[in-house]
Amino acid sequence: MKHTLLNISLLACAISTATTALAQQNSEKPQKLNTVKVEATVIEDGSADNGYKSEAISQVGIWEGRSLQDTPYSINVVSSELIENLQATSADQVFKINPATQYFWPQTQNDNPYVFLRGFQTTTFARNGISRQKWNYAHGTTMEEIERMEVLTGLSGFIYGAGNLGGMVNFITKKPTADRLNSITLGNAGGQNYYAHGDFGGQIDSNGTFGYRINLVTQDGETTIDKQNNKRDFISAAFDWQVTDSLLIDIDASKRDYRLDGRNAYWSLANNATPRPDADDIDTGKIWSHPWAMQEMESERLGTNIRWEISKNIKLRAGYLDEYNSRTGTTATNTIQANGTFNQRITTNEDAPQKIMGTGGYLFTDFHFSTGNIQHKLTTGLQNSTSIWDNYPDGSVGQNFNGLKLDKPVYFNEPVWAAHGTQPVYPAYDQRTRSLTIGDDIQFNQHWSALLGLSDSKVYYKNFNTSGVVTEHYKKSEVTPTVSLIYKPIEQLTTYASYMEGLEQGGVAGKLYQTYEVTNPDEIMDPLISKQVEWGIKASVGKLLLTSAIFNIDKPLEYYQILSETQAQFVQDGRQQHKGIEFSATGKITDNLTLLGGFTLLDAKVKDNKQFPEIEGKKPVGVAEKLIKFYSEYNISAVPGLSVNGGASYTGEFFGNNINTDKLPAYTLIDLGARYILPINDTLVTLRLNVNNLTDEHYWANQSFLGDPRNLVFSANVHF
């Protein structure tokens, strides 16, 4: 909680004058009043004191200026203070408590978070409102530099450009602060894995023209999992320049080096008839690859955002992002056999790093005007993004280990790998999207408003052979509409109905699917048009924000069809329909009790499949149809500064194959923790302790990966 002293001497003077006049009626000698100072409490948006409830959001693609309650989409906001109190050194813990997100597998595995939104896998996230292409993924995501995380669920192609069917996670990075900020955290992320984080901000000059924000992170040591070591070093710097009262320019840059030794194995089944072992039979406290299996990432980013109030009625918004990722890894895939043993395939590209380069940007202009009594904010603009992936023709080599047992892992010495990465790199993939968009935010009266828009989207795609010759390519454009009608009967209640269409790039067949050889490698599927209808309601009830949405998404279906024990085919055929309901509650139930929670109930199925009709009516792979989650905090009045927290997250059963014979059981994770804030003069010391997966639940997070074991994390923060 922050306190601000407000010197209201002008008010005191007015009171003094009135009092003097009155006094002169009763006495010849006037009375003199002292200067009055009032201490007021300022509760920040998204803070723990506000129950982590946010009223404001950043721009949502083309749209800007509406409150969270009045935005006709399902959006969940996670503040930096909640991220800090969860001690989230990756995005995983945030996704695990969010009722709209299905946790998929650990970010540590590939240094990239994965999540399901409304039953669709999402691996490519936005950064400061700038969407990124598929091949850029979200490598290098660092929670210590995140000011807020905005999770939009549902079709978002119109909002953020082509793609992003299930939704979009938008990471807003930390910006310079108006007042001096110094914050240092020393913590433990589990096991012997310690870290230090410094966060520093303020103004460079006395006029507030130039501001800065610096974040530094270093982490190293063995994790909770035996023989696994996680190391990362990160630095980010953000600067803003208030050129004039109407023009603001900010620039941010970051660099992250990451390495995981003891990278865990992916799991697969030899065929659809092979029984999956119970997660309790596999020790998740150990790695099931080798201590020398690893993932190494180097990530660099440079971005800028510009806001210019050209006039009272015209505003320009622009953003640009340039990023570079280099990754190498040694990966184990364990294929479980019918007799209960498993075969292990190890591949490495340690000497042949993949280079993934991307750019993205937007340029929007807002025009405010009225037609009679109707108010308009007309926005036109352009969004684009690119991703280029350079690879080596001889990029990887492998080794096999067969007949291994599930009772305990066996570690071999690292093989002497055959030479690889000896040939010149070539541009393996080149993907681009461009969207020209126009939208009108219309305010009819205090109760009725609407969002109307059209987007002309284009997708470009090329892939190349090892000689750099284009082997597959396409270019397609489509005009997609959106319309939202918003009705607000009272100030505390907003209802809406939305329709949206979106264009996304068709999938690309890989060379391997798990351990199956793909019969149509590198084949590009046609671009896809998906549609969504959504009805929603948002209400402010006391200090709680309650939101609910009913949705129906219809999408063309893409999947790998198993043809034999050794072969699979990548197919685009049929439709995939996801319909369901989401509910969330965020805020204070009482002054001392905070609640974040909700549920997602989903009916997802395949329909109209002509090539493989046996999968009609089946559930999509990996999609849980029930998510029920809550997280709460309670301030103990008898001990000022002390609060306890706890949460539970339930993920329903799902299937590991498209014929639904491989059923993975539901699981529930329980977390407990405590926080103690100790003020010492002008310094705040915060001690945090959290136990994640308190009961040490063993579970399949998806068809290929086991979930994390119990993990104890703690930290001490000094804020001065």
Side-chain angles (χ1 to χ4, degrees), residues 14 66 85 101 174 229 254 261 324 334 341 359 373 382 418 444 479 497 541 563 622 649 672:
R66 285 180 172 263
N85 289 335
T101 60
K174 291 177 178 177
N229 195 92
S254 67
D261 289 297
Y324 165 86
N334 296 343
T341 64
T359 61
N373 293 325
L382 167 70
F444 298 105
V479 176
V541 180
L563 302 178
S649 63
L672 285 179

Side-chain angles (χ1 to χ4, degrees), residues 489-548:
I490 58 176
E491 184 64 27
Q492 295 79 19
L493 180 65
T494 303
T495 64
Y496 66 89
S498 294
Y499 173 79
M500 187 179 296
E501 294 181 5
L503 174 70
E504 63 176 323
Q505 177 193 306
V508 181
K511 293 179 174 58
L512 287 174
Y513 170 62
Q514 297 180 351
T515 58
Y516 299 94
E517 179 184 359
V518 177
T519 59
N520 56 335
D522 294 328
E523 182 179 351
I524 305 172
M525 302 293 114
D526 291 335
L528 312 173
I529 293 289
S530 301
K531 302 176 182 180
Q532 175 184 271
V533 178
E534 178 174 323
W535 301 268
I537 183 169
K538 301 181 182 183
S540 294
V541 180
K543 297 180 180 181
L544 281 172
L545 175 63
L546 307 178
T547 71
S548 183

